[in-house]
Amino acid sequence: MLKKLLILAIFLSPAVKASPLSDGAMRLIKIGNEISSRDVVLRGQSLLLKGAFDLNDFDAMYEASKQVRQGSELMGYQPQEREANEILIKLVRRSFDPALYEYALYLLDGSHGFVKNEFLALNLFEESFIIHGNAKSAMMAAIIRNESLVLGTKKPYRIDELITFSILNKVPGALAYQTQYINKDYLHDLEPENWSQWISEQ
């Protein structure tokens, strides 16, 4: 099993690069916000929307969902969480990996307009790991199983496979979690108030 995981670690990259179009659009939006130029931000947003809806660019759709979710004080746009969630769900249905991971986190926390659903979160994290080789998703799936957040899923061999993959891919917090919460499982439980915040602190 370890040999298979090592092979996977070599051939599967956990990083997802943005498309050139969405990358360029986001640069314009960032620069526009830094210099308080509505025209530059508008050019970036127009490019992003063109990629998302005219060219069916998944990276552009995903970035558009994040822009819609946070709104823009400079442009006078209020955050539109419902609309952002609709775009996110469409990307999840197409198995777009960043959307799978983000949606699964929202479900785990029951945040951003989604009802908490650890079972669906586990399925999404494992889909992200199996199909896309996402090592961050592997760690989260291992945690859900190890903490028994979903009944009947605490299978040691599966937990070891998932956490080993995330450690091999140097996911922040994976080795520490294995040491403290898997190897010493009988002593500790991990119960953060917010999983997204816990991940950002690793």
Side-chain angles (χ1 to χ4, degrees):
M1 182 58 71
L2 184 58
K3 185 177 179 182
K4 288 182 181 178
L5 288 171
L6 285 168
I7 293 169
L8 279 171
I10 292 167
F11 288 105
L12 295 176
S13 171
V16 177
K17 293 182 180 178
S19 69
L21 184 146
S22 64
D23 191 50
M26 292 309 299
R27 268 201 306 266
L28 283 172
I29 292 170
K30 183 182 178 194
I31 291 167
N33 281 312
E34 286 173 353
I35 64 174
S36 298
S37 171
R38 290 169 59 91
D39 288 340
V40 175
V41 171
L42 190 59
R43 277 202 299 271
Q45 289 177 338
S46 298
L47 186 60
L48 200 61
L49 292 174
K50 178 179 176 60
F53 300 106
D54 293 345
L55 304 177
N56 205 33
D57 184 319
F58 288 180
D59 286 311
M61 284 184 198
Y62 181 64
E63 292 297 344
S65 77
K66 293 201 289 187
Q67 291 290 308
V68 170
R69 189 179 303 282
Q70 69 187 28
S72 172
E73 188 176 337
L74 177 65
M75 302 301 289
Y77 300 150
Q78 294 298 314
Q80 303 286 331
E81 193 160 76
R82 193 175 120 196
E83 288 78 3
N85 288 345
E86 288 174 1
I87 300 170
L88 189 68
I89 294 299
K90 286 178 184 177
L91 290 169
V92 167
R93 287 176 181 150
R94 297 181 185 194
S95 194
F96 182 65
D97 192 46
L100 288 172
Y101 181 78
E102 183 176 320
Y103 181 40
L105 274 181
Y106 292 164
L107 289 170
L108 197 57
D109 282 325
S111 62
H112 294 279
F114 294 108
V115 176
K116 183 178 285 193
N117 188 332
E118 288 105 339
F119 177 74
L120 182 52
L122 175 61
N123 286 336
L124 291 168
F125 282 130
E126 293 208 328
E127 178 183 341
S128 171
F129 163 62
I130 292 166
I131 295 176
H132 304 286
N134 188 325
K136 293 189 297 181
S137 291
M139 181 179 78
M140 293 311 300
I143 291 171
I144 292 172
R145 285 177 174 275
N146 189 60
E147 301 297 326
S148 297
L149 299 183
V150 178
L151 294 177
T153 61
K154 189 163 185 172
K155 299 174 180 175
Y157 72 91
R158 183 62 171 157
I159 294 167
D160 287 342
E161 177 188 5
L162 291 163
I163 201 68
T164 301
F165 184 82
S166 62
I167 291 168
L168 288 172
N169 283 276
K170 297 183 170 65
V171 175
L175 182 58
Y177 180 82
Q178 182 191 51
T179 302
Q180 188 169 0
Y181 296 99
I182 295 178
N183 296 346
K184 299 179 180 179
D185 184 57
Y186 60 94
L187 294 176
H188 300 280
D189 285 317
L190 180 60
E191 298 175 333
E193 290 184 13
N194 183 285
W195 286 101
S196 298
Q197 183 178 341
W198 180 83
I199 290 166
S200 69
E201 290 171 352
Q202 301 310 301

